[in-house]
Amino acid sequence: MSEVNGPLGDPRYHAYAASIRESGDYLLSIINDLLDMAKFNAGRTQLAEARVDLAGIVAAVARMIEGRAQHGAIDFHVALEPPTPDLLADERQLKQMLLNLASNAVKFTPPGGEVHIAGVMTEEGGYALTVRDTGIGMAEADIPVALAPFGQIDSSLARGHHGTGLGLPLVKSMIEGHGGRLLLVSRPGKGTTATLLFPARRVLTDRAAPAGEQTAK
């Protein structure tokens, strides 16, 4: 794709290379999801806890999602209520949770729709990180199916979208590993709102890291 050894010649080669790269990335994501789910099922997942810059994580995920949203003619916005606190969390898992939710939102939202990421402190002192879309949505009875490993919703709207059925179950396992909850509210044809609720003990409003903790890089 980068033509490090010179021009490829026919421009169709660029499309071929892009397709191969996209297929490889998709296969890698499936393998990683399977490995992560196997670890959770075996109880062998441990959090690499550190102070995490939540605003930085959201910005990084937004950069990864913006291109897909623009390609799909989807209005994409991020709004974190200031001041945005740091979180005591596993940085990789936090990024994966948000990326999985945002990717799903874009995938299941038709052109002209909206995908918004928002964040706000809760009354209990925790933090609510929300991904809302105006996509195809799902019935209330289908939500437990979507949250089950390998669950695939059998509907005419969802049938055209491929996936492993592991994205949401992984998010659920990861947020519960942080002592939080995943809330899903959805209606067919009206979209889905997914919220990651982090408990107050995960919210770091002071600037000093807890004793013995190193700042996440």
Side-chain angles (χ1 to χ4, degrees):
M1 290 177 65
S2 60
E3 296 182 304
V4 293
N5 293 318
L8 291 173
D10 194 311
R12 288 176 295 181
Y13 290 137
H14 289 282
Y16 299 157
S19 295
I20 293 170
R21 173 63 180 270
E22 182 179 354
S23 298
D25 286 342
Y26 179 63
L27 179 59
L28 181 60
S29 70
I30 291 176
I31 293 172
N32 286 334
D33 284 351
L34 288 169
L35 291 174
D36 284 338
M37 184 55 69
K39 290 178 182 178
F40 277 109
N41 289 340
R44 295 183 179 178
T45 299
Q46 293 183 342
L47 297 182
E49 293 183 334
R51 176 183 283 273
V52 178
D53 176 10
L54 176 59
I57 291 293
V58 173
V61 170
R63 288 192 295 269
M64 300 172 69
I65 293 296
E66 281 174 341
R68 305 181 206 175
Q70 291 176 0
H71 182 73
I74 296 169
D75 184 18
F76 178 70
H77 286 293
V78 176
L80 302 181
E81 184 177 285
T84 304
D86 292 344
L87 294 181
L88 178 61
D90 184 309
E91 182 177 19
R92 185 189 70 83
Q93 289 191 19
L94 176 58
K95 182 180 291 185
Q96 185 173 351
M97 284 189 281
L98 184 56
L99 183 59
N100 282 5
L101 294 179
S103 296
N104 272 355
V106 171
K107 180 168 66 172
F108 291 108
T109 299
E114 300 177 3
V115 173
H116 293 170
I117 297 177
V120 63
M121 294 285 294
T122 67
E123 293 181 358
E124 296 77 18
Y127 197 82
L129 189 58
T130 299
V131 178
R132 178 179 63 83
D133 66 65
T134 59
I136 63 175
M138 55 185 157
E140 185 175 352
D142 288 329
I143 292 178
V145 178
L147 291 174
F150 305 105
Q152 296 284 350
I153 297 173
D154 186 19
S155 73
S156 58
L157 293 174
R159 201 168 291 133
H161 300 276
H162 300 291
T164 61
L166 289 176
L168 286 178
L170 278 173
V171 173
K172 182 175 182 293
S173 295
M174 289 177 179
I175 188 64
E176 289 177 352
H178 283 78
R181 291 184 294 154
L182 170 64
L183 301 182
L184 282 181
V185 178
S186 188
R187 291 177 57 192
K190 300 296 183 180
T192 300
T193 299
T195 302
L196 296 169
L197 284 177
F198 291 90
R201 63 184 178 85
R202 292 284 174 186
V203 179
L204 305 177
T205 54
D206 62 299
R207 301 315 304 170
E213 178 197 329
Q214 295 182 346
T215 303
K217 301 297 183 181

